[in-house]
Amino acid sequence: MNIKTILTAAVFGIGSVVAAVSAQAADKKVVVAYQTDALPSSVAIANGEFSKETGYEIDFRKFNSGAEIFAAIASGDVQVGYVGSSPFAAATSRGLAVKAFYLSSISGIDEALVVRNGSGIDSLSDLKGKKLAAAPVSTDHYQLLALIKSLGLTERDVQVFAISQPEIVAAFNRGDLDGGFVWDPALSELKKGGKVLVTSKEVAEKGAPTFSAWVAASKFSNDNPEFLKKFAGVINRYYASFAKDKAAWNADSANAKQLAKLLGGTAEQQASALNNLNLLTPQVQASAEWLGGGEKSGAAKILKDTAQFLKDQGKVTEVLPSYAEFVTADALVGASN
């Protein structure tokens, strides 16, 4: 082999290495969708810790609803997203392959039906003939419809508008709506001119439980298990901090200020909203009660029950025999926090 041949081979060899490294770097890019819910882990979006810990280049994008996020996952624009159980049930019933790998919260007081002062609504018995709203196909929408049904009413008795949270706030403040089932920061905004009539936790106790979760497209989940473990590990640390060090999350804290900058509202509102969450430890999440029980897991059961309700309401056309394939505890196995 002459010197020219050797040099040519060397150049091609270097080119192959560079191409391989570039391909590997390209593989470590992911688009993650989040919403405006106050979560301790959202601080890691603001400070870049998710990217640092996972080693992936993460493009975080804010969305107004889970339905929008599932549409983005279906199109391939988003690989991981934070969603509620109602749009989750709807999307999987329509054939979207996704997996919940972390439960952010379960039905609590962080979502609620707020009724406007002067609306004439003092109790649940006053809802007939009123105008109420919730984000389309959201957990709030599901719970609002379930609440109405539990009262023996229908959508003919109560006008229900499926509109985005910013539209709900605007219509509520104009007096065009009597109430809205919302989460923060809309919840805090509506409380300024109204009162909480019923919380998500109370609707859950009436038979319509919900949860919010981080989900991943199934292919991405199968191809990137270590990313999901490290992503979940970051959430675990922030949830543990919130549970153990309340001073680090009060209205004057750097954490609350970062949440306000990222999600909107004030630091005081964010600190208050965090205290409304109903959080589960990693161990409880990974148990058979929630993500680790396959067919009998609580998350799979809620998805199926929600899908059946949505079918009865004409929102979806099919209920699958099982929703176990859409939940996994793999990213939480062995978690220490």
Side-chain angles (χ1 to χ4, degrees):
M1 184 180 290
N2 60 34
I3 188 66
K4 183 176 180 181
T5 303
I6 293 172
L7 289 173
T8 300
V11 169
F12 275 106
I14 292 171
S16 298
V17 171
V18 171
V21 171
S22 298
Q24 186 178 25
D27 288 342
K28 289 200 168 188
K29 290 183 179 180
V30 58
V31 180
V32 175
Y34 68 99
Q35 298 187 58
T36 57
D37 303 52
L39 299 172
S41 56
S42 292
V43 173
I45 297 176
N47 66 21
E49 189 170 341
F50 276 120
S51 295
K52 180 181 178 181
E53 189 67 26
T54 62
Y56 279 58
E57 181 183 332
I58 304 178
D59 178 5
F60 282 103
R61 299 180 188 176
K62 185 163 69 175
F63 286 74
N64 288 321
S65 71
E68 292 179 7
I69 290 173
F70 278 117
I73 291 176
S75 71
D77 291 341
V78 166
Q79 290 75 53
V80 176
Y82 169 79
V83 299
S85 51
S86 181
F88 190 1
T92 50
S93 296
R94 293 167 182 150
L96 187 63
V98 292
K99 292 182 181 181
F101 65 93
Y102 201 102
L103 298 181
S104 299
S105 64
I106 59 174
S107 309
I109 60 174
D110 54 321
E111 298 174 71
L113 174 60
V114 180
V115 293
R116 182 174 49 79
N117 294 336
S119 65
I121 303 174
D122 294 313
S123 68
L124 292 174
S125 61
D126 298 324
L127 291 181
K128 187 173 183 178
K130 301 301 182 180
K131 297 178 180 179
L132 309 176
V137 201
S138 63
T139 53
D140 291 346
H141 192 198
Y142 161 63
Q143 286 202 311
L144 179 55
L145 295 177
L147 174 65
I148 290 169
K149 184 179 179 181
S150 74
L151 298 173
L153 303 174
T154 69
E155 289 184 71
R156 289 187 295 273
D157 300 312
V158 181
Q159 287 184 268
V160 176
F161 299 91
I163 55 179
S164 70
Q165 292 218 130
E167 292 178 280
I168 292 172
V169 172
F172 186 95
N173 289 337
R174 289 195 305 267
D176 295 340
L177 287 175
D178 297 305
F181 210 129
V182 293
W183 63 89
D184 271 308
L187 179 58
S188 295
E189 289 301 312
L190 265 56
K191 284 180 181 178
K192 294 176 182 177
K195 64 179 181 181
V196 171
L197 187 68
V198 64
T199 67
S200 175
K201 184 175 186 292
E202 290 169 327
V203 178
E205 291 167 351
K206 292 176 180 291
T210 62
F211 63 80
S212 60
W214 285 100
V215 304
S218 292
K219 185 178 186 309
F220 181 86
S221 176
N222 295 336
D223 294 344
N224 299 269
E226 287 306 308
F227 169 83
L228 297 186
K229 277 184 175 289
K230 290 177 180 178
F231 193 93
V234 173
I235 301 175
N236 289 342
R237 285 200 296 277
Y238 277 87
Y239 277 27
S241 168
F242 178 69
K244 298 173 184 176
D245 186 7
K246 292 299 183 183
W249 298 89
N250 64 28
D252 296 322
S253 67
N255 286 326
K257 291 172 183 175
Q258 281 192 301
L259 288 176
K261 185 176 180 179
L262 177 72
L263 304 174
T266 66
E268 290 79 5
Q269 289 172 335
Q270 293 297 334
S272 176
L274 287 173
N275 288 319
N276 292 334
L277 294 170
N278 193 358
L279 306 177
L280 300 175
T281 66
Q283 290 78 15
V284 172
Q285 288 190 50
S287 71
E289 185 180 359
W290 285 102
L291 292 175
E295 183 69 38
K296 296 180 180 179
S297 68
K301 186 177 184 300
I302 288 175
L303 288 175
K304 187 169 184 178
D305 290 346
T306 303
Q308 183 61 58
F309 181 89
L310 294 175
K311 184 175 185 293
D312 294 341
Q313 294 288 316
K315 309 300 182 185
V316 299
T317 58
E318 182 181 3
V319 176
L320 304 179
S322 171
Y323 287 78
E325 68 180 283
F326 305 116
V327 301
T328 177
D330 290 351
L332 292 162
V333 174
S336 58
N337 290 326

